[in-house]
C-alpha cells in the first residue's frame, strides 16, 4: 500500500469510525455498574507467538500492547484501579534467555511509560510496583522507581504492576507486619505477645491494601 495513498486514507477513516463506535458503546456500557478494580494475568504470551508463527519474544510485546489497550478502554469506561500480574518470583526459574528477554522488554516498556506522551501520562494513570524489587537488576529497579515518581501526581487511575511477587510471600510479609504492629501495641507488662490478628489488620498490610477488592 502506498503511503498517503487512497488505502491509507481509507484506513484512517475506518479507524476514526471504530473510535467513534467505541465511544458510543462505552457511553452506553458505563451507565451500568462499572467495576472499581480490574486485574489482568499476563499469560499465554508464548502460546500466542507460537500460534501466530512469531518469534517467541513477540508474544510478550503483543501482550504489552494489549495491556495498554485495556488500560485505555478501562479509563474511558471510568475504571479507577488496574492490577497486572506481570512476572512472579517463580518466573525467574524459566530459561535464562527468556528471563533475559523479558527483563530487557520490561526495561524498554518502563522507559516508554515514563515519557510525557505515553498512554499512562496522557490518561493520568499513576504507576505502583508491587513485589520484591530487590530481585530485579539495578537498571530496572531504578527505572521502576523513576516511573513511580514521575507518575506520582497522576490521579485518574492507579495501575499496579506486580513484578517479582508471589502471593505466598505477600501473605507471610503481611502477617509478619501485622504481628509486629500488635506487638508494639501490647507493650504493657503481662500483655506482651502478638495476640489474635484479624483480617482487617492483615489486609491493611497486603501490597494490594492500596486498592479496593
Ligand atoms: C507532584 O506534586 C508535588 C506537590 O504539588 C510537587 O512538589 C512535585 O514536584 C510533583 N511531582 C511531579 C513528578 O510532577
Amino acid at each position: 500500500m502506498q503511503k498517503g495513498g487512497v488505502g491509507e486514507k481509507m484506513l484512517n477513516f475506518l479507524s476514526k469510525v471504530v473510535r467513534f463506535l467505541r465511544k458510543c458503546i462505552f457511553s452506553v456500557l458505563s451507565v451500568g455498574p462499572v467495576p472499581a478494580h480490574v486485574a489482568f494475568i499476563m499469560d499465554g504470551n508464548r502460546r500466542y507467538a507460537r500460534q501466530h508463527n512469531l518469534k517467541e519474544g513477540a508474544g510478550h510485546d503483543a501482550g504489552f500492547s494489549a495491556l495498554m489497550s485495556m488500560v485505555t478502554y478501562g479509563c474511558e469506561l471510568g475504571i479507577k484501579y488496574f492490577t497486572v500480574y506481570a512476572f512472579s518470583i517463580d518466573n525467574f526459574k524459566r530459561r535464562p534467555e527468556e528471563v533475559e528477554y523479558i527483563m530487557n522488554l520490561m526495561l524498554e516498556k518502563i522507559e516508554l511509560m515514563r515519557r510525557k506522551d505515553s498512554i499512562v501520562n496522557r490518561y493520568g494513570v499513576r504507576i505502583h510496583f508491587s513485589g520484591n524489587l530487590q530481585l530485579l537488576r539495578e537498571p530496572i529497579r531504578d527505572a521502576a522507581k523513576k516511573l513511580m515518581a514521575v507518575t506520582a501526581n497522576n490521579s485518574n487511575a492507579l495501575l499496579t504492576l506486580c513484578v517479582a511477587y508471589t502471593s505466598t510471600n505477600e501473605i507471610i510479609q503481611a502477617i509478619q507486619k501485622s504481628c509486629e504492629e500488635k506487638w508494639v501495641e501490647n507493650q504493657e507488662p503481662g500483655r506482651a505477645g502478638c495476640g489474635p490478628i484479624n483480617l482487617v489488620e492483615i489486609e491493611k498490610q497486603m501490597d494490594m491494601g492500596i486498592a479496593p477488592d
Side-chain angles (χ1 to χ4, degrees), residues 71-91:
V71 169
T72 307
Y73 301 160
C75 283
E76 286 172 6
L77 269 172
I79 297 170
K80 297 285 179 209
Y81 296 91
F82 304 93
T83 294
V84 180
Y85 293 92
F87 195 83
S88 80
I89 290 175
D90 292 333
N91 290 150

Side-chain angles (χ1 to χ4, degrees), residues 146-164:
K146 280 183 192 150
L147 178 59
M148 285 193 273
V150 160
T151 61
N153 291 344
N154 290 349
S155 56
N156 280 337
L158 175 72
L159 170 60
T160 301
L161 300 173
C162 301
V163 174

Side-chain angles (χ1 to χ4, degrees), residues 10 28 34 43-44 84 88 99 104 111 115-116 118 128 152 165 171 173 184 186 192 196 198:
M10 192 65 193
V28 172
V34 171
D43 192 21
V84 180
S88 80
V99 173
N104 288 338
E111 302 282 347
R115 285 167 46 166
K116 254 207 169 77
S118 70
H128 174 72
Y165 72 93
I171 291 168
Q173 297 278 338
V184 173
N186 292 346
N198 62 39

